[in-house]
Amino acid sequence: MGGVVSSMEHLDTLPKRLQYLSEEDPNKELYVFYNDGVRDAYTSRELFTLAGRFAHRLRQQGFQKGDVIANTLPNSPERLITDVGIVMAGCVTMNGQVLLADGSDVFRSAKVARCRAVLVSDEGPGWRLIQRFLSKEAQAGCLFPLDIVEAPEMKSAIVISRGDPHFLDDIRNGSKETFVSPSEPEDLMIVLTTSGSTGYSKLVPRCHQDIISQSLMHSQLRSPDLTWPKPSDKRFVYYSDRMMGWTGGISFYSLCQADTRVLQDLFHAPRDTASELWRAVEAENCEVCGFLPLELENVLERLRTSGRLPVNRKLKTIITGGQPIRKSQLQSFFTLAETVFLGYGSTEVPCVTRQFLKEETFESYNCGKVLDGLSVKICRDDGEDCQVNEIGTLFVRGFSVFRGYFNQLENPNPQNQKAFTPDGWFNTEDYGYFDEADDLYVLGRVKDVIMYGAFVFYPGWMERKLLEHPDVLEAIIVPVTDPVLYHNICACIKLRQDSGLDEDKLKDYCDTIFLPEMSTALTPKPKYFIIMKDNFPETATGKPDKQLLKRMAEDMFGYSGK
């Protein structure tokens, strides 16, 4: 297998790599899905065949090279086959985020990208959303004509079903014709979407050479002693349930690297998969797993309640990131793994820093060293560089930084004027600092700044203080409007089970930790509290949904102007 991977270095587009794998190692399992304990594996030959047949259908239905198709399917074999098939047809797959009931999120993205079609499951939120925009009955191949004022160029919905017809059975048993579009490394291949945690999603385009180079970096970073190309024929298996349309879970990484990715089949609906997740990890002997902190807590809780801790075999590496990580959170990671890979990045810059941790010698929010080929500077509001340990805004420049947001309606895209400085630095809109050892600390989003009377402060500082209480598992500080102070402060709290903390006790605790020498009404501490019984609401990428928490706090406590 090492020889096959090495021979793929000259294959500079995704269809070339998949076709080569299907010929040289046809039985190589690239993806293994689990659904209620049932294993469903897809080899390189099967994936190439099924995706090629779907590509042929797209071409027969009139789609051409460069057409953008939004894919709203969840992680599933159907999502994999359609994503790869769209690319093999020469079209561009775009992650379709359907979160808002009125569809304004996906319609806005579709308009900006000039989408030709949208892929939906017949049971998912996408189908329920677009039903009212159907202009007539379905044509052949489950292609429904659409008429949507907010997305005027999105004329078709491709409906994927496990009913009648069953998409997978139909694609296996139908026409045997396949299609592979000739592609160039610079051809646009996928449009990623940002999480939307700070507003509407922005669109990040990536071409074939971007994804192939990112898959190389993805492979090299996941474990310190596993590099690419691999010298042996060792079967490398990793678990990742990151969504296939997001940077951390892109559908194409495994077929670029000839690795095996294990994940859950979520076609019917997202569900609590913690127990099922770990069974799949053990059954496949996965060496590496990608976990977000909240996801890991769910897994550990299931293992504790089932009496399966400590585990029989630790993972080699857990990969985490996506949000500032505290030292206390890492203790959970070392329960399941020998090492922890901690990375900081974004959709626009997939990985900025990295560090491998083998013991719990870690300072909260430390993201490690900046990768070779990238430069990071931290600036004050006046544009001057910050000193060591001085907090400011992070700017990045280098090989993996995206070249600009995708917008086919406006050229130049006005978003890019804000995103990049005149000399080419990307503004991450995150804030942090460098320490004396050149380690980067990332504290949160610049937009999260709270203006409390004369005070301007970042919620990360206050959240860390709240997390010092042993009963507080998670804390997110959000602003609410105030007629005098501009912002007042609300603390959203998740408590440990059986905690006796209530709002009054939390207020008393804040009195002891927030500027205790001051007793005025202007002391910046939470006035309001929202105590969550369950996990925080999450964005589609698994991050805490701060926008929703802000709206909840504003509805409950904000100044209405009356």
Side-chain angles (χ1 to χ4, degrees):
M1 191 62 243
V4 172
V5 176
S6 300
S7 300
M8 289 169 63
E9 289 183 276
H10 71 284
L11 303 176
D12 51 11
T13 68
L14 180 133
K16 287 180 185 177
R17 289 194 161 221
L18 181 54
Q19 184 166 2
Y20 180 82
L21 268 181
S22 72
E23 295 168 353
E24 297 297 319
D25 197 359
N27 297 318
K28 167 69 182 180
E29 290 183 346
L30 296 177
Y31 298 85
V32 178
F33 293 89
Y34 273 82
N35 188 345
D36 291 331
V38 177
R39 187 180 193 271
D40 186 15
Y42 289 80
T43 65
S44 56
R45 172 64 59 82
E46 185 173 22
L47 178 56
F48 179 78
T49 300
L50 297 180
R53 291 176 182 175
F54 183 68
H56 179 262
R57 288 189 180 186
L58 291 176
R59 284 291 187 149
Q60 291 294 105
Q61 291 166 343
F63 293 98
Q64 300 297 317
K65 185 173 182 177
D67 286 345
V68 179
I69 300 175
N71 199 338
T72 73
L73 300 181
N75 284 3
S76 58
E78 290 86 348
R79 175 64 186 248
L80 172 65
I81 290 163
T82 54
D83 264 348
V84 178
I86 289 169
V87 173
M88 289 178 67
C91 301
V92 180
T93 182
M94 185 181 84
N95 188 38
Q97 177 172 276
V98 183
L99 297 177
L100 303 180
D102 62 359
S104 56
D105 47 359
V106 71
F107 294 158
R108 181 178 182 274
S109 297
K111 181 178 180 179
V112 168
R114 304 183 75 168
C115 270
R116 283 280 317 277
V118 59
L119 269 158
V120 297
S121 73
D122 63 347
E123 298 180 7
W127 171 243
R128 292 192 291 272
L129 174 65
I130 61 101
Q131 274 183 305
R132 62 181 183 271
F133 300 104
L134 300 181
S135 57
K136 54 180 131 176
E137 292 297 319
Q139 300 171 355
C142 297
L143 190 71
F144 286 77
L146 288 177
D147 184 10
I148 304 175
V149 173
E150 295 88 346
E153 296 185 56
M154 192 165 69
K155 295 297 187 182
S156 302
I158 303 170
V159 181
I160 305 298
S161 174
R162 287 189 180 176
D164 186 14
H166 191 293
F167 172 77
L168 293 175
D169 291 343
D170 188 46
I171 208 89
R172 286 189 178 104
N173 302 324
S175 171
K176 306 302 182 185
E177 293 190 63
T178 61
F179 184 87
V180 183
S181 174
S183 301
E184 298 298 327
E186 300 80 14
D187 287 345
L188 183 60
M189 171 182 168
I190 185 171
V191 177
L192 304 171
T193 50
T194 62
S195 67
S197 59
T198 56
Y200 277 110
S201 292
K202 296 186 283 288
L203 307 182
V204 178
R206 292 293 187 182
C207 62
H208 287 265
Q209 64 185 10
D210 291 334
I211 297 300
I212 290 174
S213 64
Q214 286 174 27
S215 70
L216 167 60
M217 183 172 63
H218 181 79
S219 176
Q220 290 175 332
L221 295 179
R222 64 197 172 197
S223 186
D225 57 354
L226 290 171
T227 58
W228 183 93
K230 296 182 287 296
S232 70
D233 293 339
K234 186 171 184 289
R235 177 176 181 256
F236 184 85
V237 184
Y238 70 102
Y239 184 95
S240 173
D241 255 342
R242 296 303 93 220
M243 291 181 62
M244 287 184 162
W246 305 93
T247 294
I250 292 174
S251 308
F252 312 124
Y253 284 161
S254 285
L255 63 92
C256 285
Q257 289 305 117
D259 291 332
T260 302
R261 176 180 172 184
V262 181
L263 65 166
Q264 301 294 318
D265 178 356
L266 303 178
F267 183 83
H268 285 297
R271 57 189 185 276
D272 180 6
T273 61
S275 300
E276 196 172 323
L277 182 161
W278 195 253
R279 285 197 296 270
V281 168
E282 291 184 320
E284 298 297 322
N285 292 315
C286 295
E287 299 181 49
V288 175
C289 283
F291 286 120
L292 293 174
L294 288 177
E295 183 180 46
L296 180 68
E297 286 298 325
N298 289 335
V299 172
L300 286 171
E301 181 60 29
R302 293 290 188 184
L303 291 174
R304 289 190 193 101
T305 55
S306 64
R308 297 174 66 191
L309 277 181
V311 294
N312 295 328
R313 181 185 66 88
K314 281 192 174 185
L315 299 164
K316 191 175 193 65
T317 304
I318 282 178
I319 301 173
T320 192
Q323 63 191 76
I325 303 296
R326 304 187 312 277
K327 183 175 183 177
S328 59
Q329 290 175 300
L330 279 181
Q331 297 170 355
S332 298
F333 287 96
F334 285 107
T335 304
L336 297 181
E338 298 171 6
T339 61
V340 174
F341 168 80
L342 180 61
Y344 160 67
S346 65
T347 308
E348 295 90 343
V349 195
C351 194
V352 178
T353 66
R354 72 163 185 174
Q355 61 177 324
F356 283 97
L357 305 169
K358 293 190 176 181
E359 53 186 31
E360 296 167 27
T361 55
F362 168 77
E363 294 296 326
S364 296
Y365 308 120
N366 185 330
C367 295
K369 307 291 186 186
V370 177
L371 267 64
D372 292 340
L374 289 174
S375 299
V376 173
K377 67 175 182 178
I378 300 177
C379 299
R380 307 187 191 106
D381 290 342
D382 61 7
E384 294 297 316
D385 290 350
C386 291
Q387 302 299 311
V388 172
N389 292 317
E390 182 180 1
I391 295 173
T393 303
L394 277 63
F395 292 81
V396 183
R397 185 168 64 183
F399 75 102
S400 61
V401 178
F402 81 126
R403 290 176 285 276
Y405 293 112
F406 188 63
N407 188 331
Q408 297 207 88
L409 297 182
E410 297 182 75
N411 187 20
N413 184 352
Q415 282 187 324
N416 294 326
Q417 298 174 8
K418 179 182 178 183
F420 292 93
T421 64
D423 54 348
W425 289 88
F426 170 60
N427 183 353
T428 68
E429 297 189 339
D430 289 335
Y431 66 99
Y433 63 92
F434 280 113
D435 68 7
E436 294 84 354
D438 287 330
D439 282 349
L440 180 64
Y441 291 72
V442 180
L443 303 177
R445 301 291 289 177
V446 169
K447 290 182 179 179
D448 291 338
V449 67
I450 294 176
M451 300 174 63
Y452 181 86
F455 294 93
V456 177
F457 69 96
Y458 297 109
W461 167 80
M462 189 174 288
E463 290 163 357
R464 290 200 301 274
K465 289 294 186 181
L466 281 166
L467 288 165
E468 291 176 4
H469 194 290
D471 283 353
V472 176
L473 285 177
E474 297 287 340
I476 292 178
I477 298 293
V478 296
V480 293
T481 55
D482 186 274
V484 176
L485 299 170
Y486 188 74
H487 286 153
N488 221 309
I489 303 167
C490 177
C492 305
I493 304 292
K494 179 185 175 184
L495 299 176
R496 294 187 183 277
Q497 289 185 353
D498 303 320
S499 170
L501 280 182
D502 56 18
E503 182 173 330
D504 289 337
K505 290 179 180 178
L506 281 167
K507 286 182 177 179
D508 291 341
Y509 177 68
C510 290
D511 287 338
T512 68
I513 64 173
F514 294 116
L515 304 174
E517 71 278 6
M518 298 176 62
S519 59
T520 71
L522 292 179
T523 301
K525 58 186 178 183
K527 180 178 180 180
Y528 308 111
F529 292 83
I530 298 176
I531 299 177
M532 310 292 293
K533 295 182 179 179
D534 299 310
N535 289 334
F536 288 144
E538 296 178 358
T539 67
T541 52
K543 298 179 182 179
D545 191 336
K546 291 187 177 182
Q547 293 302 309
L548 179 55
L549 290 172
K550 286 179 182 179
R551 291 196 294 270
M552 290 170 59
E554 187 66 24
D555 289 343
M556 296 171 69
F557 309 118
Y559 176 64
S560 64
K562 297 180 180 178

